[in-house]
Amino acid sequence: EGHGEDRLRPSARHRKLVLGVLSVTCLGVWLAPTAAAEFGPIQLVSKSSKEQAGFAREPALSQDGDFVAFYGELGGHTGIFRKDLNTGALTLVVEGAAEAPSISAEGRYVSFTTKQVLDPNLDEGSTEDVYVADLATSPPTYELASATGGKRMSGSSSAAPRVAMSADG
């Protein structure tokens, strides 16, 4: 009878091994240096060399941290802007009632939603669509993303209130 209970109890050697591993683990955690996030200086992005934005919201930061896209009013223009955080260059992506910007990893593409018709091949309409602006060209070119076969989605479709873009646009 006593032999069955002995097999279920940990041996003294096993207990010492477990305590030793726990001690080393706890000591390692206690002695490990703490990592601190490193942030650069705080900077006001929603301004130009002449004025600060009337409003700025819905920021989207590129993966490489070089660009930020936002919806705002600046210099008498309302729309989606992209700012190069290295050079300070500010680009008006689209003017007018547009919102929910998203930006590709390297900042070349900016997507947004709008009821504006930016593709001259489309009929006027009141649905909210998703466009992708290619900022490698000046002025930017726009591609309707919420369409199939070059045509708007039928019915009373509406874009999601927030869009997201893949890393490569």
Side-chain angles (χ1 to χ4, degrees):
E1 292 175 11
H3 297 299
E5 290 177 14
D6 288 340
R7 280 187 285 164
L8 295 177
R9 291 186 189 168
S11 67
R13 187 171 147 204
H14 184 240
R15 282 191 301 259
K16 286 180 185 176
L17 178 63
V18 169
L19 285 174
V21 169
L22 285 174
S23 297
V24 169
T25 303
C26 291
L27 182 62
V29 169
W30 183 66
L31 292 177
T34 56
E38 292 189 31
F39 295 99
I42 294 173
Q43 59 179 311
L44 182 60
V45 174
S46 57
K47 65 178 178 65
S48 72
S49 59
K50 297 179 182 174
E51 67 181 320
Q52 185 173 329
F55 68 88
R57 59 180 177 252
E58 302 179 24
L61 186 65
S62 65
Q63 182 180 358
D64 62 11
D66 290 341
F67 295 92
V68 65
F70 61 94
Y71 172 59
E73 184 273 317
L74 185 65
H77 300 280
T78 299
I80 304 293
F81 294 87
R82 181 192 71 173
K83 183 163 187 174
D84 184 325
L85 298 176
N86 294 316
T87 67
L90 191 65
T91 304
L92 179 59
V93 176
V94 64
E95 188 164 9
E99 51 190 9
S102 183
I103 193 164
S104 61
E106 81 298 337
R108 176 179 173 176
Y109 301 99
V110 174
S111 66
F112 54 90
T113 62
T114 185
K115 288 185 179 181
Q116 297 178 74
V117 177
L118 299 175
D119 185 338
N121 298 320
L122 295 174
D123 295 331
E124 292 293 322
S126 62
T127 61
E128 190 150 2
D129 289 307
V130 178
Y131 282 92
V132 177
D134 183 351
L135 298 171
T137 62
S138 183
T141 57
Y142 305 102
E143 181 180 339
L144 180 62
S146 57
T148 57
K151 295 186 178 183
R152 285 181 147 166
M153 295 178 193
S154 62
S156 60
S157 65
S158 181
R162 185 72 179 168
V163 295
M165 180 173 288
S166 66
D168 63 2

